[in-house]
Amino acid sequence: MRPFELTAPATVEDALGSAGTYLAGGTTLVDLMKLDVLTPQQVLDINDLPLRGIDTADGLRFGALERMGDIAAHPGVYPAISRALLLSASQQLRNMASIGGNLMQRTRCSYFRDVAMPCNRRSPGSGCSAISGVNRMHAILGTSDSCVATHASDVAVALVALDAEVVLASAEGTRTVALTDFYREPGDTPEVEHDLRPGELITEVRVPRLDWAENSTYVKIRDRQSYEFALCSAAVALDVRDGKIADARVAAGGVGTVPWRLPAVEEALRGAELTEEAFAAAAAVAVDGAKPLSGNVFKPSLLKRTIVRALLELTEGSRA
């Protein structure tokens, strides 16, 4: 880890406009600083800022510094969000990591984290080692010739499915951005991962009210049952009426360069019967445009099966 200056702004206004790097839980930042992947000269400890609170009165609102564990355990948090948080990491990490920091976490691509290897996200123009390297964990959706790294966050998948927004503050004021618009696919500029501008800070996360979001879940497929990133995941919410699906929200993780919303699957589910055959037909369109790599040719099939599993879980009572 290289030397840096540590400061602790007393107010949000003091923190805004800084060229430094914000530190909340530090569960990602400190790791990457130890590896010399990130080498900030100035770090701002923002833990004393008034960016906390969980409000479930009309939709959901989380202060950006709320810890993942506290949100997961809070009554009124939609099950897909709570489950995604609980499946994200160990209890110790959930008690440290903030919701804002989780949304900003960097990819777990091993080539990004190894400064001896070419990586366009870390060093633009150097190349993408994963395309012809070890790429079992990598993306099949939203990839480019410059980057095939997956987005690491579990809860971002659930939030994208439920139309979440982030509130961003700067010295010029605040703006609200849909989470689906916040993340950037790599294209030719994989080093630009999101729409957070220099000097801006995430202050809160908002999820609009959705009366049927209580009927939601998050399914995560991984190599081991704990403390592992997703090979594939699915966040699903269903509005079931009279034995059919009236509406749906679906997003996938572990397969996309960003948390991957699946509007074509949602459309295919609307009006569908509660049968495994109907679920499989809807899930089939999830892989449209997928580009598997040498090491992850299994992911299109796994994605379809993960979506079907989530749908079967949510409709078990209705089908019975």
Side-chain angles (χ1 to χ4, degrees), residues 11 39 49 59 94 107 113 133 204 226 284 310:
T11 67
T39 56
L49 300 184
R94 294 196 303 269
T107 180
R113 298 169 69 87
E204 63 182 49
S226 60

Side-chain angles (χ1 to χ4, degrees), residues 78-297:
Y78 299 141
I81 296 173
S82 179
R83 183 161 180 164
L85 288 166
L86 291 172
L87 292 174
S88 291
S90 67
Q91 183 172 344
Q92 293 93 329
L93 286 174
R94 294 196 303 269
N95 289 342
M96 283 292 296
S98 67
I99 187 70
N102 184 276
L103 298 182
M104 289 291 292
Q105 69 177 294
R106 310 296 296 274
T107 180
R108 264 17 189 219
C109 173
S110 58
Y111 298 108
F112 171 77
R113 298 169 69 87
D114 183 351
V115 295
M117 299 298 295
C119 171
N120 287 320
R121 286 203 182 209
R122 178 173 27 80
S123 180
S126 63
C128 176
S129 299
I131 290 176
S132 59
V134 178
N135 49 40
R136 180 174 177 270
M137 296 292 292
H138 287 69
I140 60 173
L141 294 166
T143 60
S144 73
D145 292 338
S146 297
C147 185
V148 293
T150 54
H151 193 272
S153 174
D154 287 294
V155 72
V157 178
L159 291 171
V160 160
L162 296 172
D163 299 313
E165 303 172 327
V166 286
V167 180
L168 310 175
S170 71
E172 287 71 43
T174 63
R175 62 190 181 105
T176 302
V177 179
L179 201 57
T180 49
D181 297 328
F182 180 73
Y183 293 117
R184 303 279 186 89
E185 295 176 34
D188 295 329
T189 56
E191 72 278 10
V192 183
E193 299 180 18
H194 46 69
D195 190 35
L196 192 71
R197 300 168 186 170
E200 278 191 324
L201 179 66
I202 298 176
T203 58
E204 63 182 49
V205 179
R206 296 175 180 172
V207 183
R209 180 174 178 176
L210 188 64
D211 290 336
W212 42 273
E214 282 298 320
N215 189 37
S216 66
T217 192
Y218 181 76
V219 171
K220 181 176 181 178
I221 308 300
R222 48 191 170 172
D223 286 330
R224 56 184 183 182
Q225 280 299 308
S226 60
Y227 319 146
E228 184 60 274
F229 292 94
L231 273 173
C232 183
S233 66
V236 177
L238 292 180
D239 182 10
V240 177
R241 303 181 191 179
D242 301 323
K244 292 185 178 181
I245 297 174
D247 206 350
R249 300 286 186 273
V250 185
V255 293
T257 53
V258 297
W260 201 260
R261 183 75 178 262
L262 290 163
V265 176
E266 296 171 358
E267 181 59 32
L269 286 170
R270 294 185 182 108
E273 303 281 349
L274 305 183
T275 66
E276 186 170 349
E277 293 75 16
F279 298 162
V285 301
V287 299
D288 289 352
K291 297 179 179 179
L293 301 161
S294 60
N296 64 11
V297 291

